[in-house]
Amino acid sequence: EPEVTQTPSHQVTQMGQEVILRCVPISNHLYFYWYRQILGQKVEFLVSFYNNEISEKSEIFDDQFSVERPDGSNFTLKIRSTKLEDSAMYFCASRGQGRNTEAFFGQGTRLTVV
Amino acid sequence: AQSVSQHNHHVILSEAASLELGCNYSYGGTVNLFWYVQYPGQHLQLLLKYFSGDPLVKGIKGFEAEFIKSKFSFNLRKPSVQWSDTAEYFCAVNYGGATNKLIFGTGTLLAVQP
């Protein structure tokens, strides 16, 4: 069964550093998403990406964040100048065409900012 | 505002007990509804989904959910839980729009005691 894969599974970084979280969506999917889950809180939408551009972003997704699909297979989330409060589990998801399709999630990257 | 509520944050059951987890959502338009499960250390997996048609949907591992439009609810049920059902359960709603992002509930942590 096709799956969404994320690397790394766990990343520890120092405050102020930049991190790049990587995702390989399911190959024929067209819509890509990043969500995050701060420990003990709900899963929150960050950004959606379609046709090589951001289609929607949440209030959380400020100038500190950026996404890219550099080579047609990877989908990355870059967090510049990380803060302690960026510590969370970050999930990538992808979805096929049409509204009546479900999103498939990766296993997540646990980011710890120290 | 679009929101999803899960009223049970932590549920403890004995094996063979019946399970019902509540999920309510705001807004009365056309929605797609999902339950995801997250086993310890694993990614979000789809349990079941509702797009249209029969409001009683059956998912994997013996789970089912009933969509009651008048109550804006999509409660998850299982007649007899097993120890292996210990996990966190998330209700999620797609309210439509350009990106079809998911709005998640806060999650319910289910612990099944053998």
Side-chain angles (χ1 to χ4, degrees):
Chain A
E1 184 178 314
E3 59 181 22
V4 176
T5 56
Q6 289 184 244
T7 53
S9 56
H10 193 182
Q11 171 109 34
V12 181
T13 189
Q14 291 204 329
M15 195 167 50
Q17 296 297 304
E18 175 182 286
V19 294
I20 298 177
L21 310 184
R22 292 183 165 78
C23 169
V24 179
I26 294 172
S27 62
N28 62 345
H29 282 183
L30 300 175
Y31 297 85
F32 313 112
Y33 306 86
W34 283 100
Y35 293 82
R36 80 171 183 190
Q37 184 183 25
I38 295 172
L39 189 64
Q41 298 185 26
K42 67 168 70 176
V43 177
E44 303 172 289
F45 166 76
L46 289 178
V47 65
S48 61
F49 193 86
Y50 171 73
N51 200 25
N52 285 321
E53 60 183 20
I54 291 173
S55 46
E56 185 176 354
K57 58 184 181 180
S58 71
E59 292 176 352
I60 303 166
F61 195 89
D62 60 20
D63 292 342
Q64 185 194 5
F65 295 89
S66 61
V67 289
E68 197 176 36
R69 191 159 159 77
D71 56 12
S73 61
N74 290 286
F75 178 51
T76 61
L77 173 69
K78 183 188 289 186
I79 310 175
R80 286 179 284 275
S81 189
T82 49
K83 299 175 283 196
L84 294 176
E85 53 265 39
D86 295 326
S87 295
M89 182 74 90
Y90 288 81
F91 293 105
C92 173
S94 69
R95 191 174 61 80
Q97 184 78 23
R99 185 184 173 189
N100 289 350
T101 55
E102 71 257 29
F104 290 80
F105 284 80
Q107 78 276 25
T109 294
R110 179 165 296 286
L111 176 65
T112 303
V113 182
V114 296
Chain B
Q2 298 165 348
S3 66
V4 180
S5 301
Q6 290 182 243
H7 312 296
N8 317 101
H9 298 296
H10 196 179
V11 173
I12 302 173
L13 294 173
S14 298
E15 276 194 312
S18 65
L19 170 72
E20 180 159 1
L21 302 182
C23 173
N24 287 90
Y25 63 94
S26 64
Y27 181 72
T30 302
V31 294
N32 291 347
L33 301 157
F34 306 85
W35 276 96
Y36 284 87
V37 61
Q38 187 177 27
Y39 298 103
Q42 296 189 28
H43 61 95
L44 290 164
Q45 299 175 39
L46 183 69
L47 263 184
L48 45 77
K49 60 193 177 189
Y50 173 81
F51 293 145
S52 63
D54 188 345
L56 184 62
V57 293
K58 295 194 184 297
I60 60 172
K61 306 188 182 190
F63 286 90
E64 64 179 32
E66 185 175 12
F67 170 48
I68 303 179
K69 190 174 181 180
S70 61
K71 294 184 178 181
F72 305 113
S73 70
F74 190 56
N75 292 353
L76 180 72
R77 299 194 291 249
K78 185 171 184 178
S80 176
V81 295
Q82 302 171 308
W83 178 78
S84 57
D85 293 324
T86 294
E88 190 156 18
Y89 293 81
F90 294 94
C91 180
V93 179
N94 174 2
Y95 286 91
T99 63
N100 291 302
K101 67 179 184 289
L102 294 175
I103 306 294
F104 282 84
T106 49
T108 298
L109 196 58
L110 171 66
V112 180
Q113 297 175 332

